[in-house]
Amino acid sequence: MSRKQEEQTVDAVLIGAGIMSATLGVFLKQLQPDWTIEVLERLDEVAAESSAAWNNAGTGHSALCELNYTPEKEDGTVDCTKAYKINEQFETSKQFWAYLVENGLIKSDFIQSVPHMSFVRGEKDAAFLKKRVATLTQSPLFEGMQYSDDHDTLRSWFPLMMEHRGPEEKVAATKMDIGTDVNFGALTWSMIRYLFRQPGVGIHVAHEVKDVERSEDGQYWEIKVRNMTTDQSRTIRSRFVFIGAGGGALHLLEKSGIPEAKGYGGFPVSGQWLRCINPDIIERHHAKVYGKAAVGAPPMSVPHLDSRMINGKKELLFGPFAGFSTKFLKNGSYMDLPTSIKLNNIVPMIQVGLHNMQLTKYLIQQVRLSPEEKLEALQEFYPDAKLDDWELAIAGQRVQVIKKDKNGDGILEFGTELVHAADGSIAALLGASPGASTSVSVMLDLLKACFAEEMQTPAWQSKLQQMIPAYGQHLATDGGLLDKTRAWTSSVLQLKPSIAEPV
């Protein structure tokens, strides 16, 4: 039986030591240096779940290559609304990271320049891709995007993918040189190290949160936590709680009992990669090349041939292949899904199950794929691929959000959802893609929702402007400001500037 320790009172508790908690922790410590913060992580190291390099795509998601952010509408036009928003959010992330690097708070080795490309086959998809470029480039955010269906040009962009493709095969691609590869695990570690050095901040691994409930006087949240190494239990009283525990966030949100959490559920999706083990092949591909998702596929399953830098070593991945597990975390329990079902969310969860049979069918097909069938999917990108050059690697676990729409019906959301109490004293982050890439914007939204009064003070406004020079302005419509901002972040983060001219 666990032993109890005395209570501790702090300003903020951050549950989960991934990219979101790290980002929020740095924000809070920069904005309010005198606040006390406790970071609690269930595993024995930080950034070991969704933020870990092997558990996510590592793409600086900015809609430069992800076709699912630019759907084609029924009238044939391309909707770029989400692409513009995500690209601008990634520019916000780069500003925040550049500020931290420029001030010596973190290192810049977590981010690398790598071209972002979209790749399609067939006349119909080529026409869509060309139309996508024409629409996207109406904003300065996507100025310089190149389109080509010329085999020689494409061979210069991704030679590995063009080997033994006959001239009769219709293929097309777009290219943006300002794309990035981000090791979110390394970035998280760097920010956590900064926080660890700050007075009033405690970082605790192997600490499992067992309960989150209001104090009797309603002034605090009481977080019951167990030290998994010593089996000691203690209670932390905090004015504010952030639940950034990835797939584990839903269970803790339900424990809080806030009315805003009612009706939320989760649908878990697992993932696998094909990882190249042939160094010669790895060296011949330097791009993140995204294709079109299969019908019914979740966004995290958009196929891509992906050049990565992980722990200083160049890697090449293909996938991900989706799967199903009742776990909400890679290191979770098979009881995660069953125990998340409550009276207040069982109806929307059943409705989602009934209305998304296509997704269920897709996941079943993915689970049943043989190694040879996975190779066939890879060969659509890299025709000469051989099974001996690749091995299977397990990716992370994602939990897609299930919630009620305005009519009270259950719907499946593929984005990121911020849920918070009306008084702003507790917030949780649910969902997945684009996730880490937009972590800075997501945490700014949290600050606005949960620290509304502080956000209006001159001190916080001035500091935010210092950390994010374009804060409150719109880069999507201000080309001059965008150029200035990108020039600064590219210089500080040692990224390749945009110099390409459209074809």
Side-chain angles (χ1 to χ4, degrees):
M1 187 173 180
S2 62
R3 295 168 290 166
K4 288 188 176 181
Q5 293 181 331
E6 60 184 43
E7 287 186 353
Q8 175 187 12
T9 301
V10 298
D11 292 298
V13 165
L14 313 180
I15 303 174
I19 185 66
M20 295 297 179
S21 288
T23 301
L24 179 58
V26 173
F27 262 128
L28 292 177
K29 207 58 185 172
Q30 285 283 305
L31 292 166
Q32 202 72 37
D34 60 326
W35 279 6
T36 51
I37 302 171
E38 292 286 290
V39 181
L40 306 172
E41 170 57 51
R42 183 176 65 92
L43 300 180
D44 57 7
E45 62 177 314
V46 305
E49 274 284 349
S50 296
S51 301
W54 288 110
N55 291 345
N56 61 66
T59 302
H61 283 297
S62 45
L64 300 177
C65 58
E66 305 92 330
L67 299 178
N68 55 307
Y69 296 149
T70 52
E72 189 172 15
K73 296 192 288 188
E74 289 185 2
D75 63 2
T77 60
V78 179
D79 185 357
C80 295
T81 306
K82 189 172 185 179
Y84 293 149
K85 179 181 179 180
I86 289 173
N87 190 285
E88 198 164 9
Q89 287 178 327
F90 188 66
E91 293 297 332
T92 299
S93 292
K94 287 197 295 182
Q95 291 177 71
F96 180 67
W97 300 337
Y99 163 81
L100 297 179
V101 171
E102 192 170 58
N103 286 273
L105 306 184
I106 66 172
K107 296 181 179 180
S108 64
D109 56 357
F110 64 90
I111 188 168
Q112 314 284 334
S113 289
V114 61
H116 281 198
M117 305 184 193
S118 301
F119 170 75
V120 298
R121 303 164 67 203
E123 293 285 351
K124 180 180 179 181
D125 286 343
F128 161 73
L129 194 61
K130 197 168 189 176
K131 187 163 45 179
R132 176 180 185 266
V133 175
T135 309
L136 281 174
T137 51
Q138 292 175 19
S139 166
L141 290 169
F142 293 87
E143 185 178 346
M145 176 175 279
Q146 302 174 76
Y147 167 89
S148 182
D149 54 14
D150 175 71
H151 277 225
D152 289 337
T153 300
L154 297 181
R155 196 170 289 110
S156 71
W157 289 0
F158 37 62
L160 200 70
M161 295 174 56
M162 294 302 292
E163 289 182 352
H164 299 107
R165 286 193 192 274
E168 74 287 348
E169 183 177 359
K170 181 66 175 182
V171 290
T174 58
K175 180 174 181 279
M176 281 289 276
D177 289 317
I178 61 170
T180 57
D181 174 63
V182 184
N183 186 328
F184 289 105
L187 173 59
T188 302
W189 268 101
S190 199
M191 289 194 288
I192 290 291
R193 276 193 292 266
Y194 158 75
L195 287 172
F196 183 74
R197 296 192 298 265
Q198 305 310 302
V201 177
I203 310 291
H204 307 279
V205 297
H207 277 61
E208 183 179 24
V209 174
K210 305 298 291 184
D211 203 1
V212 179
E213 59 183 13
R214 292 261 193 192
S215 61
E216 290 186 5
D217 60 11
Q219 300 299 307
Y220 295 92
W221 285 96
E222 295 182 343
I223 299 92
K224 293 178 172 56
V225 57
R226 180 175 72 92
N227 184 326
M228 298 168 70
T229 303
T230 65
D231 202 33
Q232 289 184 320
S233 296
R234 63 184 173 119
T235 298
I236 305 173
R237 290 163 57 90
S238 181
R239 293 191 300 113
F240 170 75
V241 177
F242 171 61
I243 306 174
L250 179 60
H251 282 99
L252 294 173
L253 179 63
E254 290 175 335
K255 288 178 182 293
S256 74
I258 62 172
E260 292 81 3
K262 291 181 179 179
Y264 279 94
F267 184 83
V269 179
S270 59
Q272 298 176 337
W273 303 106
L274 283 179
R275 175 188 178 185
C276 187
I277 56 176
N278 186 326
D280 294 334
I281 294 174
I282 294 171
E283 287 301 322
R284 291 166 58 203
H285 185 78
H286 185 68
K288 290 180 177 291
V289 185
Y290 275 60
K292 289 196 73 173
V295 176
M300 67 168 285
S301 297
V302 175
H304 49 286
L305 188 61
D306 194 346
S307 183
R308 302 280 304 274
M309 284 297 294
I310 299 178
N311 301 326
K313 182 183 177 184
K314 189 175 179 182
E315 303 280 359
L316 182 60
L317 306 178
F318 176 76
F321 298 95
F324 177 76
S325 167
T326 55
K327 290 183 178 183
F328 278 5
L329 292 162
K330 191 173 181 178
N331 295 283
S333 164
Y334 288 108
M335 292 302 295
D336 286 342
L337 177 58
T339 56
S340 73
I341 300 173
K342 310 293 181 184
L343 286 175
N344 63 63
N345 68 12
I346 189 170
V347 172
M349 290 185 75
I350 291 174
Q351 289 175 327
V352 164
L354 293 174
H355 297 159
N356 288 271
M357 294 305 294
Q358 195 173 36
L359 174 60
T360 303
K361 180 181 178 181
Y362 169 80
L363 292 176
I364 292 172
Q365 291 172 339
Q366 288 278 291
V367 170
R368 296 176 62 185
L369 285 178
S370 67
E372 290 75 20
E373 288 171 321
K374 289 184 172 71
L375 179 67
E376 287 179 12
L378 169 59
Q379 287 172 338
E380 292 187 13
F381 279 70
Y382 170 30
D384 285 352
K386 305 292 189 295
L387 199 57
D388 289 344
D389 293 325
W390 303 78
E391 67 179 14
L392 195 65
I394 304 301
Q397 190 83 359
R398 300 290 185 271
V399 179
Q400 310 296 344
V401 178
I402 293 174
K403 67 175 186 179
K404 294 178 181 178
D405 63 12
K406 60 183 179 181
N407 298 318
D409 296 325
I411 56 173
L412 186 64
E413 286 283 331
F414 289 111
T416 304
E417 188 90 2
L418 181 66
V419 183
H420 61 87
D423 64 0
S425 63
I426 188 169
L429 195 65
L430 307 176
S433 183
S437 295
T438 60
S439 56
V440 176
S441 293
V442 172
M443 290 302 103
L444 283 171
D445 288 342
L446 182 149
L447 292 172
K448 292 172 186 175
C450 298
F451 300 94
E453 290 185 11
E454 291 89 342
M455 285 288 281
Q456 299 304 313
T457 62
W460 276 41
Q461 284 293 308
S462 175
K463 190 64 180 182
L464 285 168
Q465 199 73 54
Q466 184 182 349
M467 291 189 286
I468 304 169
Y471 178 70
Q473 301 178 75
H474 295 290
L475 299 177
T477 54
D478 191 334
L481 179 61
L482 175 64
D483 290 343
K484 180 181 177 181
T485 300
R486 279 182 172 169
W488 171 63
T489 58
S490 295
S491 175
V492 174
L493 298 175
Q494 301 179 52
L495 301 174
K496 182 178 180 179
S498 178
I499 57 175
E501 292 297 326
V503 174

